[in-house]
């Protein structure tokens, strides 16, 4: 059976890293007894500028619903007048449909973001690339609620005020949506089993701003209720502002973390610094029947077209997709493909010779295409062993 994959390259470096993901999948098919039927669908700001009315072709929603999995590059493109990203007539950013639209329509309620520093990664901290965090101290997973909060689409411009004076975004937090991501966090801590790097304790940390916000109080009360069902797992809560300094100062304390949509968006970009930056960080959008995999970074227009973006987040996303599909279809070959992709990236990182600018600085950087080829070579050697 060929797995039906929809590939959404998007804009800017999204298109470039998606091309590398496609080459990775072609290699997986050549090396292992698995096959993919890959349909590429253009989308995003550049598509909207060319076609005028939609940010992806008609029928794309249905194709994403039918597919076994969706793989996304990144969307978002500057508008020609320089006033921000290309925006559609409905007020949404062009690229909304494949990202936020897919998350809502396919009920991809959890955004699972692994933050793990691969051996040898040197993070860029105040201008230098250095190993600030000891090996083995960064190994946590964030679960970001993915369907509501400030992204629920409730808001607008208040017409009784002059244009450009007042805008609102209403934050929606529900028990049902909170409950399912919180439960997933406890289940994941059990599955991981090894606990936090510092003490081996299985720990779920819930991050909110419950000292001020009603939605956060609801989220934390649901956390308390669900947590009572997991007596073997330590329950930990944090207020989001203070949490930011603990995350950077003591990452070894964390095992699984759960939070609301907007806080999760911001915190995981910050957390990516612990693993080498956004070029290394993966977002798995998962629901009960669908999933979409993407690097957490955007389209980085200023790096576009220069063959210099880090392809690792996208290639690791491809690996996560194989692992998820393999588990879902009980396909050991696909699960092996997922593990080998992660190992292949690890081999190239640890060798330290062929890395993009974000990991080694401009002077020592290799082009994206060369880094991707090195990962494919590593995959081939591992698969042939
Ligand atoms: N899911 C998505 O598709 C998604 C996510 C975030 C932002 N966006 C969109 O992307 C556009 C650009 O946003 P932005 O500049 O704020 O964020 P961005 O993630 O595109 O880039 C921010 C910076 O991070 C670094 N970076 C990101 N990815 C990298 C990679 N693979 N390799 C090396 N360095 C990398 C670069 O220094 C870049 O300038 C906007 O239109 C935004 O809306 C889309």
């Amino acid at each position: 059976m060929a797995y039906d994959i929809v590939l959404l390259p998007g804009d800017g470096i999204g298109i470039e890293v998606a091309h590398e993901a496609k080459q990775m999948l072609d290699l997986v098919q050549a090396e292992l007894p698995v096959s993919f039927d890959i349909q590429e669908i253009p989308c995003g700001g550049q598509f909207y500028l060319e076609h005028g009315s939609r940010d992806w072709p008609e029928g794309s929603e249905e194709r994403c619903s039918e597919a076994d999995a969706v793989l996304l590059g990144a969307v978002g493109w500057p508008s020609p007048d320089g006033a921000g990203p290309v925006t559609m007539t409905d007020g949404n950013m062009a690229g909304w449909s494949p990202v936020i639209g897919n998350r809502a329509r396919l009920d991809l309620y959890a955004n699972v973001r692994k933050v793990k520093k691969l051996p040898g990664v040197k993070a860029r901290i105040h201008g230098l690339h250095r190993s600030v965090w000891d090996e083995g101290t960064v190994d946590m997973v964030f679960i970001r609620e993915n369907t509501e909060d400030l992204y629920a689409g409730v808001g607008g411009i208040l017409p009784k005020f002059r244009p450009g004076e007042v805008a609102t975004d209403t934050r929606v937090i529900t028990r049902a949506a909170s409950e399912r991501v919180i439960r997933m966090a406890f289940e994941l801590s059990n599955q991981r089993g090894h606990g936090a790097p510092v003490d081996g304790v299985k720990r779920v940390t819930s991050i909110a701003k419950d000292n001020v916000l009603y939605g956060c109080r609801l989220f934390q009360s649901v956390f308390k209720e669900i947590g009572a069902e997991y007596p073997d797992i330590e329950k930990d809560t944090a207020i989001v502002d203070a949490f930011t300094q603990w995350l950077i100062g003591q990452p070894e304390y964390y095992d699984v973390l759960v939070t609301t949509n907007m806080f999760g968006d911001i915190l995981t970009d910050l957390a990516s610094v612990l693993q080498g930056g956004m070029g290394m960080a993966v977002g798995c959008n998962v629901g009960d029947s669908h999933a979409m995999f993407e690097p957490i970074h955007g389209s980085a227009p200023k790096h576009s077209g220069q063959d210099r973006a880090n392809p690792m987040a996208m290639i690791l996303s491809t690996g996560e997709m194989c692992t998820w599909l393999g588990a879902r279809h009980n396909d050991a070959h696909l699960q092996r493909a997922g593990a080998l992709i992660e190992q292949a990236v690890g081999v190239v990182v640890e060798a330290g010779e062929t890395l993009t600018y974000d990991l080694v600085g401009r002077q020592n950087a290799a082009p994206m295409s060369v880094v991707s080829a090195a990962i494919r070579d590593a995959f081939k050697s591992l698969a042939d062993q």
Side-chain angles (χ1 to χ4, degrees):
M1 141 188 179
Y3 292 99
D4 177 4
I5 307 297
V6 167
L7 178 63
L8 302 169
D11 292 304
I13 67 164
I15 297 174
E16 297 165 38
V17 296
H19 175 72
E20 303 304 336
K22 166 85 171 40
Q23 294 208 57
M24 191 75 231
L25 287 175
D26 287 344
L27 178 63
V28 170
Q29 301 191 83
E31 288 289 316
L32 302 176
V34 293
S35 66
F36 303 106
D37 185 357
I38 303 167
Q39 184 187 2
E40 225 173 288
I41 300 182
C43 60
Q46 289 163 297
F47 182 91
Y48 184 80
L49 286 177
E50 277 163 37
H51 296 85
S53 60
R54 297 174 54 96
D55 54 357
W56 58 356
E58 230 160 293
S60 303
E61 289 89 347
E62 292 73 16
R63 280 299 297 123
C64 289
S65 308
E66 292 157 6
D68 291 313
V70 179
L71 195 52
L72 171 82
V75 295
W77 197 247
S79 66
D81 62 7
V86 180
T87 304
M88 301 189 286
T89 43
D90 64 4
N92 285 323
M93 183 188 95
W96 185 95
S97 312
V99 182
I100 301 179
N102 259 357
R103 288 175 184 165
R105 201 178 35 259
L106 303 177
D107 199 21
L108 308 176
Y109 58 81
N111 197 322
V112 183
R113 296 184 167 192
K114 205 193 269 187
V115 182
K116 184 174 173 184
K117 187 169 94 82
L118 297 175
V121 164
K122 293 188 173 56
R124 186 169 192 272
I125 302 292
H126 46 82
L128 298 171
H129 290 87
R130 55 177 81 182
S131 203
V132 178
W133 294 280
D134 294 337
E135 298 304 344
T137 57
V138 177
D139 183 2
M140 67 186 93
V141 183
F142 277 84
I143 296 184
R144 161 188 170 194
E145 199 290 318
N146 214 24
T147 58
E148 51 182 34
D149 193 348
L150 289 168
Y151 298 79
V154 185
I157 309 290
L158 295 195
K160 75 174 193 176
F161 293 91
R162 275 184 294 139
E165 292 284 325
V166 180
T168 62
D169 297 284
T170 302
R171 187 164 188 255
V172 179
I173 304 288
T174 65
R175 166 173 289 274
S178 306
E179 195 173 316
R180 56 191 184 172
V181 287
I182 289 167
R183 194 175 295 286
M184 183 186 270
F186 282 103
E187 291 294 328
L188 181 61
S189 179
N190 266 337
Q191 272 167 34
R192 278 162 56 88
H194 52 67
V198 72
D199 52 11
V201 170
K202 287 191 281 176
R203 176 177 295 119
V204 177
T205 303
S206 177
I207 307 141
K209 182 85 186 170
D210 51 316
N211 50 338
V212 178
L213 302 173
Y214 290 107
C216 286
R217 280 181 211 152
L218 174 59
F219 193 81
Q220 291 300 44
S221 73
V222 176
F223 178 73
K224 205 169 160 204
E225 274 171 41
I226 304 287
E229 297 173 25
Y230 296 86
D232 299 341
I233 300 178
E234 188 176 296
K235 272 71 76 181
D236 176 41
T237 57
I239 292 179
V240 63
D241 36 345
F243 171 77
T244 54
Q245 38 108 38
W246 291 320
L247 173 67
I248 298 299
Q250 51 165 49
E252 66 278 7
Y253 184 72
Y254 299 109
D255 172 21
V256 178
L257 307 98
V258 63
T259 190
T260 51
N261 202 343
M262 179 56 123
F263 293 156
D265 189 4
I266 298 167
L267 291 174
T268 51
D269 274 24
L270 174 63
S272 78
V273 175
L274 299 164
Q275 62 191 138
M278 289 210 278
M280 301 299 293
V282 176
C284 308
N285 302 271
V286 293
D288 292 331
S289 351
H290 299 278
M292 176 168 78
F293 300 83
E294 57 174 329
I296 76 165
H297 64 72
S299 57
K302 72 178 180 193
H303 296 290
S304 167
Q306 297 173 67
D307 193 20
R308 71 168 178 227
N310 187 346
M312 289 182 171
M314 184 70 194
I315 291 175
L316 288 166
S317 305
T318 310
E320 292 289 344
M321 181 186 81
C322 291
T323 303
W324 180 85
L325 272 176
R328 192 169 169 77
H329 295 276
N330 207 10
D331 182 337
H333 297 297
L334 256 189
Q335 285 186 291
R336 178 159 179 256
L340 290 180
I341 290 173
E342 186 174 332
Q343 280 175 43
V345 170
V347 166
V348 173
V349 168
E350 199 158 17
E353 286 157 11
T354 318
L355 296 170
T356 43
Y357 82 95
D358 51 322
L359 294 178
V360 287
R362 289 250 163 106
Q363 282 181 334
N364 302 314
M368 173 184 65
S369 49
V370 174
V371 173
S372 304
I375 298 169
R376 291 196 295 276
D377 286 347
F379 180 93
K380 206 165 172 329
S381 316
L382 290 162
D384 293 346
Q385 272 170 23

